[in-house]
Each structure stands twice: as C-alpha cells, then as structure tokens.
Amino acid sequence: ASQVFLQLKVADDAPLGRAALRMQVDAGEVELLNAITVTPPLPAITGLSPTTVLAGAGVTTLTVQGRNFTNQSEVLVNAAALPTTWVSAAELRASLPSQVATGALTVQVRTPDAQTAGAYLTSGTTSLQVQAPVPPLLTIEPTPVALPPDGRPRELVLRLSKADYRDNTINLSVSDSSKASVSPASILIPAGQTSVKFTVTPGT
C-alpha cells in the first residue's frame, strides 16, 4: 500500500526540465510536483573507424558512429576536443593529430547541455589504439645481380614490400669500387610509392 513500480515513456517532443507526476489511487488523485526531470538524451558511440592508427602517420580522419549527435557535438580524445564535423545525428568526423606515442586513446562525444550553461552531455568511452608502424622490407630486382665486366650500365629496381606512409631514403654503395659503380649514391622512395630505379655499371 506504500509502494508502486512504474514504467515511464518520454515523448520525443517532451519539454525539458521538471515534470509533475499524477497518480490515481483509491483515495483520489495524488500529485507529486517536480517528481521527474526530463533531460536530453545522452550521445552514444556505437562504432569507430579506424579503430587503429599508426604512430607518426600524420593527421587521421576519425569517423564516429552513434546516436543523438547534434551540430554542436564534439569528439574528445583523452578529454581534448578535436576539430569535429557534424554529418548526421548518427555520424561525426574528427581530425586526429599525428600521434607520437603508442598505446590506447579514450574517445568520447560531448554535446552542450541546453539546460545548464557550460555543462555537457557526455557519451561513454571507446578505445582507439595507436600502434608502432612496421617498416616495409626492401628488395633488389633482379636478384641475384650478375653483370659481365663490359662497362655497360644496367638499370635495377629497389622495391618495398608495401607502400610506406613516409619517405624512405636509401644510400647505395659497392663494396669494391674497382669492380662496379652505382648511381645515384642516395635514392628516395616517396611516401605511397613502392619502387624506384637505379643504375649499376660494371667495370671492364
């Protein structure tokens, strides 16, 4: 006689703030003033892309999927706000600066609280991993290199096993300069490319 359990459903257009609760009991109607506080729905994260970034790889665009996002929502990484673009109520995009250290970053979304100046509605957290880059392998084509002593230059190819996110400078030399020479002595494979040519000239 002193307790009752209720299920409440809040309409999408319900006014924010305090609301009264009215109940019909045997003795009549009971009204409880300010019994319920209607608040905006919290932002929530349901997905993150990418979930892993490489240390030193430059600025990365993070796509955050979820719900209850507004055009004032911001993506936070380790509590620091990132430049954020609102795509829809279910998607945000943010620019993550290049990361120096490896480890796990904490990602959240916050939206200004229309009820309280200076306050925010903040989502739960999700994790973003920063991994150390695995350098590509370097090979020479063709292998093995066998050149007759005719003094004629031949083109060979330096090839990376995968495209790198940064430039790679390779220094070339021949252990016995009386038998062959190489040109150029230093060669660059730009970021995003996998191969470059160089010249070996055998002796005579």
Side-chain angles (χ1 to χ4, degrees):
S2 62
Q3 190 177 53
V4 63
F5 294 95
L6 305 174
Q7 285 187 334
L8 301 178
K9 182 177 181 180
V10 181
D12 292 340
D13 59 351
L16 303 179
R18 297 282 188 172
L21 176 66
R22 293 185 177 87
M23 298 179 58
Q24 184 67 42
V25 297
D26 291 342
E29 185 179 78
V30 176
E31 181 177 12
L32 301 176
L33 298 176
N34 301 325
I36 301 168
T37 302
V38 180
T39 63
L42 293 176
I45 298 175
T46 59
L48 184 65
S49 177
T51 56
T52 301
V53 296
L54 296 178
V59 177
T60 301
T61 298
L62 293 180
T63 300
V64 181
Q65 294 92 21
R67 58 182 180 271
N68 304 326
F69 301 153
T70 75
N71 59 4
Q72 293 182 298
S73 296
E74 293 178 301
V75 176
L76 307 179
V77 171
N78 286 358
L82 301 183
T84 302
T85 300
W86 181 79
V87 179
S88 70
E91 184 176 319
L92 299 172
R93 290 179 186 163
S95 296
L96 176 70
S98 182
Q99 299 298 298
V100 177
T102 60
L105 304 177
T106 299
V107 181
Q108 291 176 286
V109 172
R110 73 178 182 185
T111 302
D113 186 351
Q115 294 295 104
T116 306
Y120 293 92
L121 304 170
T122 305
S123 73
T125 63
T126 190
S127 182
L128 175 66
Q129 297 296 321
V130 181
Q131 295 182 348
V134 178
L137 300 177
L138 180 67
T139 57
I140 298 177
E141 299 174 359
T143 301
V145 178
L147 303 177
D150 56 7
R152 293 173 52 194
R154 269 82 168 184
E155 276 194 341
L156 283 77
V157 176
L158 283 175
R159 190 176 301 278
L160 297 178
S161 58
K162 63 179 181 179
D164 205 347
Y165 68 90
R166 57 188 171 186
D167 295 343
N168 285 269
T169 301
I170 299 125
N171 297 320
L172 304 173
S173 64
V174 177
S175 59
D176 189 344
S177 59
S178 66
K179 294 182 178 179
S181 61
V182 61
S183 178
S186 181
I187 201 165
L188 175 72
I189 301 180
Q193 298 186 21
T194 58
S195 64
V196 68
K197 294 180 180 180
F198 67 100
T199 300
V200 173
T201 304
T204 57

